[in-house]
Amino acid sequence: MAKLLEPLTLRGTTFANRIWVSPMCQYSCDAEGAPGVPTDWHLVHLGGLAVGGAALVLTEAAAVVPEGRISPQDAGLWNEEQARGWTRIVDFVHSQGVAIGVQLAHAGRKASTYRPWAGQQGSVPPADGGWETVGPSALAFGGYATPTELDLDGIARVVTGFAEAARRADAAGFDVVELHAAHGYLLHQFLSPVSNHRTDAYGGDLAGRSRLLLEVLDAVRAVWPQEKPVLVRLSTSDWVPGGWDVAESVELTRELAAHGADLIDASSGGNAPEQQIPVGPGYQVPNAARIRRETGVPVAAVGLILEPAQAEQLLVSGDADAVFLARPLLADPRWPQRAAQALHAPEAVAWPPQYVRATRAPVPFVQPRV
């Protein structure tokens, strides 16, 4: 059996294989009539990925408070109407024998922006449905609006927001929660000296800058069932001099594991417009490998992992325990099933009975365009 197709168990949850769906924002909620509530688009999008054979489907970032959305059209989990909207999606994914998780997020200073195809860039003004943003410090990201520095009461509301969202996620039936501490969003903003210039207990050294993330993790773990895993997505490097780096990610991972995190989703970048990222196939894997090697904590790799043989090799070599895929799955939602055929184990990934006729003749693996 190929390593990529072997089960993986975290706490009381066993994933049928190690091909997992990375969170991918869809910017497709009704911003006015039902803000933050997932729609039929989300059901079809996430349901289609579950049908394709991945063992874990993570939703897009779900904001834990209204002002935590990246765009007015982002999904949320700050009220019960949103939780009910997610429940029908959870139920369908489960009907396919697939686990589902929700990524809990707060965009911080990168909130209230136009969705990618809006034809405009930057911050949406309040007059057009946007809102004032917040951050660890009053430092703007690029040309975005300058955020208001969070005071201690504001920080406490952030922690409560994450905990309440996790409680709703459990009630909706999610198997996993992932805390989004990457890509320049609020928890990452606190971690990085690029965006955190505070001089109180939430700034300064690594202990201060990581305080909010650890408080959020503690609050989530207090309401999230012990048998269910908590993942943390980290940007393992800011890719700028003097920014957050992989050495600090290693130290933080040890703390996260001690506070109840079960796996690190190792991404990078997003917090500094001047970042210089050496993009190429598997370009983030070395950081994931270092975290796994130096901490012993399970890690998932992500970023330009395109071919089954590439994914298999990084697992066999011990660089990661699972792989998250994004754009390859948008191009080909059947990637896991085709990967099983390419790795000579077609029976290792389930096909829905409605589609099983597709397995009667070899289906060549086609490299998706990304």
Side-chain angles (χ1 to χ4, degrees):
M1 175 69 71
K3 189 79 171 177
L4 186 64
L5 305 175
E6 289 182 357
L8 177 65
T9 298
L10 299 174
R11 293 191 182 244
T13 301
T14 297
F15 306 97
N17 59 58
R18 298 165 189 240
I19 307 169
W20 297 353
V21 177
S22 194
M24 291 177 277
C25 287
Q26 299 296 292
Y27 308 102
S28 296
C29 295
D30 181 351
E32 297 179 0
V37 177
T39 66
D40 287 347
W41 174 264
H42 297 86
L43 175 64
V44 173
H45 165 65
L46 295 169
L49 293 169
V51 167
L56 170 64
V57 173
L58 281 190
T59 73
E60 65 193 86
V64 301
V65 291
E67 65 272 22
R69 288 170 291 167
I70 302 168
S71 80
Q73 295 81 20
D74 270 26
L77 198 46
W78 69 79
N79 64 38
E80 300 306 321
E81 183 182 7
Q82 294 157 356
R84 289 191 293 273
W86 285 117
T87 297
R88 67 177 186 141
I89 297 170
V90 169
D91 290 346
F92 179 81
V93 172
H94 282 163
S95 76
Q96 303 305 303
V98 174
I100 183 169
V102 59
Q103 186 186 65
L104 303 180
H106 190 307
R109 67 178 185 166
K110 293 178 74 174
S112 189
T113 60
Y114 292 99
R115 56 183 173 181
W117 57 86
Q120 295 174 276
Q121 296 182 339
S123 300
V124 180
D128 294 336
W131 54 90
E132 294 184 3
T133 59
V134 298
S137 303
L139 300 169
F141 175 84
Y144 293 4
T146 300
T148 298
E149 181 175 310
L150 279 167
D151 60 17
L152 295 182
D153 287 341
I155 288 174
R157 287 194 294 273
V158 169
V159 175
T160 299
F162 273 94
E164 287 299 300
R167 180 186 60 77
R168 293 186 188 96
D170 180 44
F174 282 103
D175 307 293
V176 173
V177 292
E178 177 174 87
L179 306 182
H180 197 356
H183 302 165
Y185 299 123
L186 185 66
L187 299 180
H188 181 192
Q189 292 163 25
F190 269 84
L191 291 174
S192 173
V194 169
S195 45
N196 184 346
H197 291 187
R198 301 175 74 99
T199 58
D200 64 2
Y202 291 89
D205 62 8
L206 176 60
R209 287 181 280 116
S210 60
R211 188 179 307 277
L212 175 58
L213 174 54
L214 293 175
E215 287 182 356
V216 165
L217 176 56
D218 287 343
V220 166
R221 261 285 160 225
V223 300
W224 186 247
Q226 286 300 305
E227 68 274 14
K228 292 185 178 183
V230 173
L231 317 184
V232 179
R233 170 161 274 195
L234 291 180
S235 273
T236 56
S237 174
D238 282 339
W239 299 110
V240 296
W244 181 261
D245 60 22
V246 67
E248 288 187 307
S249 295
V250 168
E251 291 188 52
L252 176 61
T253 294
R254 295 191 181 102
E255 286 294 314
L256 292 169
H259 285 252
D262 300 292
L263 179 140
I264 300 300
D265 177 1
S267 189
S268 71
N271 197 43
E274 65 273 22
Q275 64 189 12
Q276 297 294 318
I277 303 178
V279 176
Y283 67 101
Q284 296 173 149
V285 171
N287 288 1
R290 178 174 172 183
I291 291 171
R292 186 178 189 270
R293 182 176 65 251
E294 295 188 16
T295 68
V297 176
V299 171
V302 64
L304 287 183
I305 299 168
L306 304 176
E307 300 179 3
Q310 176 194 9
E312 173 70 6
Q313 181 54 41
L314 72 89
L315 297 184
V316 170
S317 65
D319 290 341
D321 299 275
V323 296
F324 274 114
L325 304 180
R327 285 175 290 178
L329 288 173
L330 293 182
D332 181 8
R334 305 286 176 264
W335 196 101
Q337 290 154 343
R338 295 179 185 276
Q341 292 178 320
L343 295 171
H344 309 292
E347 73 288 345
V349 173
W351 287 72
Q354 297 92 333
Y355 290 0
V356 74
R357 71 190 70 178
T359 67
R360 293 173 184 163
V363 180
F365 182 84
V366 177
Q367 174 65 49
R369 294 180 177 270
V370 296

